[in-house]
């Protein structure tokens, strides 16, 4: 029982000096659950954050680190488990740093995430306790396992070993894995073949990571990232793997960021299951990792914004047009903004290939750019990276857009930005949680803001 990273929660920003770690083990009662999944206990009046422990349990812990105001420990034995505990499905769970909630039943994970966000919304003054019921929408869910269509694995290789996997808990060491329970099943078929082929490469020690992806046609793509070019004979042997297994393989040099070899010209494709749009992208481009959830998010975005042919919509942080293109089908005008010129070009190309002539895309840095809103713009989609959209939100007040749909992968920056919007005159009409990353503490939030 010694899983779990010591990663601090996003909110836990205080700096602490390390102290002498208490020796031996202790039996503690877990009285609270942190948002990052760790249990909270007390030992000699001091707070202890305990990896792998659930609220209500009594656990034997081993201390790992000690600071002035708190200690960190890991559970070594669960003495009295709660009914929310479940045997983790993954054989690597104890050591791998990929997931951190597999020891909690799925329904308990969902309730825990939902309650934690609702509580913080109220604490931040974003909604009142008695308003929660009227704004909260049902949770969007997918299969709890086999949901990821992409992953980035670290590699540690030399002449004696070839280790491929995620970094471990509390460690920078890579945990060697043959399969991953949250990956789409097709990728788990590819993984052992890839390992076999890569472990025989003569320049394998220069490989740092591999990116692995399955598109909506079920085709696998792999990018091998190394800090020097692979030998020609290595590329030849990857070509054999690509031809035999129909895998799109490319190699990228991390020093100059150049992709210097690609087994074929095929690009990954997303075709929405309702066939409304399709888009091409490359392995380097941002895509939402859970395709089932992504489709549900797109549908919910269009529904919540109640898009019509009168609307002029802006999509900020638009990437390859994941939300812009399906939304553009229903509106008069769609303008997308995104920092990556490469993705902006792809969004424009994808719009053209879908026969959409009402879209325009611009490459800008939205952390510093001053937005000029055409007076027709009445709806806005906002899907920033983890840092959030503080600079953008400051420009949206006093209220100038009728509806803002905010999608966030980081509750902390979402709360901060929501406060700017609400203090500036918007109200929250709807709030929905999205379980994009089951078995982990991570959660996606969607909120609809409006003003009179
Ligand atoms: C969470 S992703 C969302 C992308 C897209 N909406 C989607 O669903 O695929 C955030 C996007 O913001 C872009 N981005 C990051 N920093 C940015 C910045 N400073 N200005 C504009 N775009 C930025 C990233 O390149 C990425 O495409």
């Amino acid at each position: 029982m010694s899983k779990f990273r010591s990663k601090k929660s996003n909110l836990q920003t205080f700096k602490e000096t390390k102290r002498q770690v208490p020796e031996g083990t202790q039996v503690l009662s877990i009285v609270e659950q942190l948002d990052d999944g760790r249990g909270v206990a007390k030992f000699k009046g001091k707070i202890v954050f305990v990896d792998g422990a659930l609220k209500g349990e009594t656990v034997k812990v081993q201390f790992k680190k000690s600071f002035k105001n708190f200690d960190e420990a890991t559970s070594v034995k669960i003495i009295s488990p709660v009914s929310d505990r479940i045997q983790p499905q993954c054989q690597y769970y104890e050591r791998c740093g990929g997931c951190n909630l597999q020891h909690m039943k799925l329904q308990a994970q969902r309730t825990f995430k939902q309650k934690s966000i609702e509580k913080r919304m109220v604490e931040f003054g974003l909604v009142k306790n008695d308003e929660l019921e009227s704004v909260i929408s049902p949770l969007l869910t997918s299969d709890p396992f086999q949901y990821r269509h992409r992953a980035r694995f670290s590699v540690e290789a030399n002449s004696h070993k070839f280790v491929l996997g995620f970094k471990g808990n509390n460690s920078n060491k890579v945990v060697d894995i043959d399969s991953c329970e949250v990956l789409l099943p097709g990728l788990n078929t590819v993984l052992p073949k890839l390992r076999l082929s890569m472990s025989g490469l003569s320049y394998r020690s220069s490989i740092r990571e591999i990116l692995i992806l399955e598109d909506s046609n079920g085709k696998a793509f792999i990018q091998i990232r190394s800090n020097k070019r692979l030998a020609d004979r290595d590329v030849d042997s990857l070509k054999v793997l690509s031809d035999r297994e129909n895998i799109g393989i490319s190699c990228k040099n991390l020093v100059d960021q150049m992709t210097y070899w690609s087994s074929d010209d095929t690009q990954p494709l997303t075709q929405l299951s309702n066939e409304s749009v399709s888009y091409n992208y490359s392995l380097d481009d941002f895509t939402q990792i859970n395709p089932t959830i992504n489709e549900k998010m797109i549908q919910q975005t269009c529904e919540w914004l109640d898009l019509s042919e009168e609307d002029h919509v802006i999509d900020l942080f638009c990437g390859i047009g994941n939300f812009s293109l399906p939304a553009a089908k229903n509106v008069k005008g769609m303008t997308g903004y995104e920092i990556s010129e490469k993705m902006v070009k792809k969004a424009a190309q994808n719009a053209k290939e879908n026969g959409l002539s009402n879209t325009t895309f611009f490459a800008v840095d939205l952390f510093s750019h001053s937005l000029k809103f055409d007076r027709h713009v009445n709806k806005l989609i906002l899907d920033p990276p983890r840092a959030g959209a503080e600079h953008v939100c400051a420009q949206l007040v006093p209220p100038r857009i009728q509806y803002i749909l905010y999608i966030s992968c980081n509750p902390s920056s979402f709360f901060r930005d929501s406060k700017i919007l609400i203090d500036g005159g918007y109200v929250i009409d709807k709030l929905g949680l999205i379980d994009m990353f089951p078995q982990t503490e991570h959660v996606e939030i969607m909120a609809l803001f409006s003003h009179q």
Side-chain angles (χ1 to χ4, degrees), residues 403-417:
Y403 290 103
I404 298 171
L405 187 122
Y406 193 141
I407 302 143
S408 166
C409 58
N410 181 359
S412 299
S413 54
F414 170 75
F415 296 145
R416 178 200 63 206
D417 297 346

Side-chain angles (χ1 to χ4, degrees), residues 279 284-288 294 297-298 315-324 337-341 343 362-369 381-388 392 407-409 436 444:
Y279 12 72
D284 297 338
D285 296 333
F286 177 91
T287 54
Q288 306 282 355
N294 187 41
M297 287 203 305
I298 293 171
D315 183 10
L316 298 180
F317 306 94
C318 66
I320 52 163
N322 182 44
F323 292 103
S324 340
Y337 295 84
E338 154 69 44
I339 197 166
S340 155
E341 284 193 24
M343 280 197 261
F362 296 102
V364 294
D365 182 348
L366 291 165
F367 292 167
S368 56
H369 181 78
I381 300 168
L382 195 55
D383 182 20
R386 289 190 68 76
V392 167
I407 302 143
S408 166
C409 58
M436 171 91 91
E444 199 89 1

Side-chain angles (χ1 to χ4, degrees), residues 26-31 41 50 52-61 75-82 85:
Q26 289 295 333
V27 174
L28 303 180
S29 300
I30 306 299
V31 292
V50 187
L54 300 179
K55 185 176 173 182
E57 291 184 328
T58 305
V59 295
K60 187 187 273 186
V61 309
S75 345
V76 288
K77 188 172 181 199
I78 309 300
I79 292 170
S80 61
V82 287
R85 180 168 285 277

Side-chain angles (χ1 to χ4, degrees), residues 324-325 328 332-336 347-348 351-352 356-361:
S324 340
L325 303 188
K332 192 155 198 168
M334 167 63 73
T335 313
K352 196 168 160 199
L356 294 163
S357 55
N358 57 347
T359 61
T360 321
F361 294 94

